[in-house]
Amino acid sequence: MYFAGCPIILPRENESVLLGAAVLGAVAGKNFPGIRDAMQALNAAGKVVKPSPDPRVKKYHDAKYQIFRSLYEQQLSHRSTMAQALQ
């Protein structure tokens, strides 16, 4: 799913993977009723990056996303071809 023009919230912590593991562990350990609750308690936004008002930036990222989608579809096709070769 692609949401053009949405702000991106970067975590304050440098160790995002560890923070994610801590959030999931806290929920699994029944310290919080859900992931959102744990995230609100354990994390704080470090920086909010807002979309650029420059239409060229949006056009650039739209093109970049289309290339990503194309490469992803190619990967799925290649993976299917290789799986069929092993049958």
Side-chain angles (χ1 to χ4, degrees), residues 4-80:
C6 292
I8 298 171
I9 301 173
L10 302 175
R12 184 173 53 207
E13 293 79 11
N14 291 333
E15 302 293 335
S16 298
V17 173
L18 295 177
L19 175 62
V23 166
L24 293 176
V27 173
K30 308 283 188 221
N31 293 312
F32 296 96
I35 291 176
R36 283 188 187 266
D37 298 305
M39 287 176 62
Q40 288 175 344
L42 300 175
N43 189 19
K47 180 179 181 183
V48 176
V49 180
K50 301 213 179 207
S52 171
D54 186 343
R56 296 174 303 162
V57 173
K58 181 183 181 319
K59 187 175 179 181
Y60 171 84
H61 286 289
D62 286 345
K64 190 174 182 179
Y65 181 71
Q66 289 305 316
I67 291 168
F68 162 77
R69 291 295 306 173
S70 173
L71 291 172
Y72 178 71
E73 293 298 327
Q74 287 177 34
Q75 178 189 13
L76 293 179
S77 175
H78 295 324
R79 188 180 292 171
S80 175

